[in-house]
Amino acid sequence: MKKDKRMFLRVRPSVLAEIRAYGEKHDRMTARSVILSGLAALGIPVPEAARLGVRKMRTGAQDASEQEDKECVSFSVLLPESVWRHLSLRAAREMKQKRTIILEGLSALGLKISDDMKADISRLEKE
């Protein structure tokens, strides 16, 4: 049986808010479903069953106030092994981080992701 792979993402609070807002607008999708939909928009094969994920999403009001002062926030997402493999191959082929490709996928869905956010995370940590 194939296992899911856990990936930790570090993004600005505004990106996490965009993911949550997109999820609320589209049948209460989970953050995982939004990310997988973004990867599918880039042409990465994502099993349809993996994209289905409906849950009660927190309102985010409390989270937004807590995260307002932070430059970046971290969260994890479980990706199916096949998606992880395709994402890793694409990252190697394009010489980009997996995180950057995920953010490009979110951008392809119409989420507002700034170009500097897609840049190397080490650059963000130095700012």
Side-chain angles (χ1 to χ4, degrees):
M1 184 169 91
K2 294 183 179 183
K3 293 183 124 187
D4 288 345
K5 300 276 188 173
R6 183 175 305 277
M7 179 166 187
F8 292 92
L9 292 173
R10 188 169 163 87
V11 297
R12 291 205 171 108
S14 61
V15 173
L16 189 54
E18 285 276 330
I19 292 170
R20 286 184 175 152
Y22 185 93
E24 283 294 325
K25 287 181 196 172
H26 295 86
D27 299 324
R28 301 175 63 80
M29 293 170 66
T30 63
R32 175 182 190 243
S33 299
V34 174
I35 289 168
L36 290 172
S37 294
L39 292 174
L42 292 178
I44 292 175
V46 177
E48 188 64 35
R51 281 191 258 172
L52 302 176
V54 179
R55 69 175 177 105
K56 293 180 181 176
M57 293 185 77
R58 293 183 289 177
T59 60
Q62 179 182 0
D63 295 336
S65 63
E66 289 174 5
Q67 295 170 357
E68 220 169 70
D69 298 333
K70 296 181 181 179
E71 172 123 1
C72 289
V73 294
S74 298
F75 67 100
S76 66
V77 62
L78 289 173
L79 299 176
E81 188 176 339
S82 62
V83 173
W84 178 270
R85 195 174 335 104
H86 285 284
L87 178 61
S88 296
L89 290 171
R90 183 166 180 161
R93 187 174 55 248
E94 295 181 11
M95 297 180 67
K96 294 180 180 178
Q97 294 181 345
K98 291 182 208 97
R99 174 189 165 280
T100 301
I101 294 171
I102 287 174
L103 292 174
E104 289 172 353
L106 294 174
S107 185
L109 289 178
L111 279 70
K112 296 175 197 155
I113 310 292
S114 63
D115 288 338
D116 68 319
M117 191 64 219
K118 293 178 200 169
D120 188 349
I121 191 68
S122 59
R123 211 180 99 214
L124 285 176
E125 291 172 347
K126 292 177 185 174
E127 291 177 356

